[in-house]
Amino acid sequence: MNEIFLLKLGEIVLKGANRKQFENRLKANVARRMHPFGDFKVSILQSTVYVEPQNDQCDVDGAWEACHTIFGVVSLCRCRPCEKDLDAIYAAILAYLGDDLAAASSFKVESKRSDKRFPLNSIQISQHIGGMLAEAFPHVAVDVHNPEYTVYVEVRDFAAYVHGPAEPGAGGLPTGVGGRAAVLLSGGIDSPVAGYMIAKRGVELECIHFFSYPYTSELAKDKVLELARRMTRYCGRMSVNVVGFTEIQEAIRDHCPEEYFTIIMRRFMMRISERIARDHGCGCLVTGENLGQVASQTMQAMAVTHAVVHLPVFHPLIGMDKEEIVTIARKIDTLETSILPYEDCCTVFTPKHPKTKPKLAAVETVESRLDVEGLIERALQNTEIVKVRYHG
Ligand code: ATP
Ligand code: MG
């Protein structure tokens, strides 16, 4: 084939003894992600993943776009492979990059030679090819300091590759090298972003959603499933555990003072989530909490909320401003679903004056009016697991 992708690895290059495991995982992830786009050969060599379409039926543009959402890839380029020979390299540049080069006002050539048997070093390659191109494109000035366009030549083990500027990859670590996390997914803007940020560190996700039918509608549930579906673009396949939460919310409403509704509800969410997390081999819980955003997200309220679980609770958005969160939501394409106007169980029975500085002992006293264990057991039995497949 006359075009291939080179995906450059980021931090995983640094990981010493784990490197092989990381590379194998990344290779498997790339192969799985390429599958819907046709027959691609995926191999890994010298900290670079090679993705080669095997026939003309491959959807090369679709595959290229998907490569931008694979964690563990720091940058990527579409290249033309050619023989390791100056004339062949020159011809490949003319055919593959000629139009881009002709449209630029200035250019330079940057070369890399990982095959040390190649007779010229990288500076010599750049000089040679640069000279040939300067003659072919007399109107495009050579500017080695601040060129508008850079032609890249890489002389590697099996071939040479020419390409234009690389594009940024998704960064992070390959999905699966960092274990599993259970994300509490509401229908809001924050929690999908929190899930994405943890997934970026190489973590597979299991989602948990608390659903209070009929106070929250089927449409609200569909919205959360759609959010999860959108997250798969970066985070990979996952399941959403939809927990029936109505009985718990009604019990809290019927037996607890109003100002404690939210905090006690959140303690139930944490307890149930911890049990689901353990059942699915997850090592932590993740929420979209953000300091000071609402009454339940003060330090004191979070301390009381998290006091009921032993697993670590991560909240990657804790110190971010809303605008920063929205920027990521837009980038990962969850924003437009998040802002659909369906209610969340958090907005059912919302107290007018929630306690912003709840005391643990007082909350525990109020909570002791409830059959906590029984409520949790029944909610767990009333949990539906929905598998969410990747969608482009
Ligand atoms: P989000 O935008 O993610 O809904 P938020 O700012 O609205 O967050 P809260 O509603 O207080 O904040 O919820 C804080 C966190 O608790 C959420 O980010 C999410 O992790 C979790 N959460 C809230 N409601 C639910 C729910 N119905 N199901 C699962 N998790 C939830
Ligand atoms: Mg919310």
Side-chain angles (χ1 to χ4, degrees):
M1 297 304 296
N2 61 2
E3 191 173 39
I4 87 164
F5 311 153
L6 297 184
L7 316 184
K8 308 288 172 83
L9 278 56
E11 289 172 56
I12 71 173
V13 178
L14 307 172
K15 296 285 179 191
N18 291 332
R19 173 170 158 180
K20 197 88 219 124
Q21 181 211 339
F22 279 38
E23 289 189 347
N24 287 340
R25 179 62 78 134
L26 179 60
K27 188 176 135 193
N29 290 350
V30 174
R32 191 171 54 242
R33 293 294 303 279
M34 292 301 99
H35 199 253
F37 302 102
D39 186 10
F40 286 81
K41 182 175 165 212
V42 178
S43 49
I44 195 158
L45 204 68
Q46 294 169 331
S47 299
T48 302
V49 181
Y50 293 67
V51 181
E52 304 175 55
Q54 298 296 294
N55 54 50
D56 290 339
Q57 278 80 57
C58 290
D59 173 3
V60 175
D61 290 337
W64 173 242
E65 197 182 322
C67 284
H68 288 75
T69 60
I70 299 175
F71 289 133
V73 174
V74 71
S75 69
L76 58 164
C77 43
R78 266 172 107 139
C79 320
R80 168 73 50 97
C82 62
E83 275 182 44
K84 292 192 275 187
D85 163 276
L86 285 181
D87 287 336
I89 292 171
Y90 173 68
I93 293 171
L94 286 190
Y96 190 60
L97 305 172
D99 289 348
D100 291 344
L101 198 50
S105 58
S106 59
F107 84 103
K108 75 167 174 179
V109 177
E110 205 162 284
S111 307
K112 228 189 276 160
R113 178 190 62 150
S114 49
D115 173 6
K116 301 297 180 207
R117 292 165 310 178
F118 193 73
L120 304 184
N121 67 25
S122 51
I123 294 172
Q124 291 166 327
I125 299 170
S126 297
Q127 281 170 345
H128 258 84
I129 299 289
M132 292 161 97
L133 292 173
E135 263 181 45
F137 297 89
H139 65 288
V140 188
V142 176
D143 181 347
V144 292
H145 299 298
N146 201 14
E148 188 186 325
Y149 189 76
T150 302
V151 170
Y152 292 87
V153 177
E154 302 192 34
V155 179
R156 291 173 163 266
D157 274 9
F158 299 114
Y161 301 89
V162 305
H163 60 87
E167 296 181 14
L173 300 172
T175 303
V177 300
R180 290 175 68 74
V183 182
L184 283 76
L185 193 63
S186 69
I189 295 173
D190 301 334
S191 44
V193 174
Y196 158 82
M197 288 180 69
I198 290 293
K200 190 173 180 194
R201 300 309 301 164
V203 176
E204 285 177 329
L205 303 183
E206 181 82 25
C207 297
I208 302 171
H209 177 65
F210 295 93
F211 181 54
S212 289
Y213 190 79
Y215 302 103
T216 57
S217 65
E218 283 294 331
L219 287 174
K221 177 166 120 187
D222 292 346
K223 171 183 170 181
V224 171
L225 296 177
E226 174 60 17
L227 277 175
R229 223 168 271 130
R230 287 176 179 239
M231 289 166 73
T232 61
R233 204 155 75 89
Y234 284 91
C235 310
R237 297 168 294 183
M238 49 199 191
S239 300
V240 184
N241 297 257
V242 182
V243 182
F245 207 47
T246 314
E247 189 195 355
I248 291 176
Q249 289 206 278
E250 288 177 341
I252 297 171
R253 177 197 61 191
D254 294 344
H255 298 103
C256 302
E258 189 183 290
E259 71 258 38
Y260 288 104
F261 281 3
T262 307
I263 193 96
I264 292 177
M265 179 193 75
R266 297 193 60 72
R267 282 161 61 88
F268 272 98
M269 285 187 180
M270 299 312 287
R271 290 184 181 102
I272 292 169
S273 297
E274 182 172 59
R275 297 195 195 189
I276 293 175
R278 289 198 195 281
D279 280 351
H280 289 87
C282 301
C284 70
L285 302 178
V286 178
T287 80
E289 284 165 304
N290 176 248
L291 201 61
Q293 197 183 78
V294 288
S296 59
Q297 295 176 26
T298 62
M299 269 183 235
Q300 294 87 347
M302 286 175 66
V304 173
T305 301
H306 299 164
V308 288
V309 291
H310 295 94
L311 281 180
V313 185
F314 295 146
H315 7 77
L317 313 187
I318 197 71
M320 292 170 73
D321 289 344
K322 195 74 189 184
E323 209 33 58
E324 296 171 299
I325 299 169
V326 165
T327 301
I328 299 177
R330 206 173 272 127
K331 177 182 124 173
I332 64 173
D333 205 22
T334 52
L335 184 66
E336 77 182 52
T337 305
S338 290
I339 59 181
L340 293 174
Y342 309 117
E343 63 295 333
D344 177 54
C345 70
C346 286
T347 53
V348 179
F349 315 137
T350 314
K352 282 189 205 61
H353 303 290
K355 281 236 181 279
T356 54
K357 294 185 181 173
K359 295 269 184 301
L360 182 57
V363 173
E364 285 173 343
T365 305
V366 171
E367 215 173 57
S368 66
R369 298 174 196 168
L370 303 173
D371 169 21
V372 173
E373 246 337 282
L375 286 166
I376 290 175
E377 270 312 312
R378 289 191 292 281
L380 285 169
Q381 276 159 21
N382 190 8
T383 295
E384 176 197 4
I385 300 184
V386 184
K387 288 209 180 308
V388 179
R389 298 232 159 268
Y390 173 76
H391 95 151

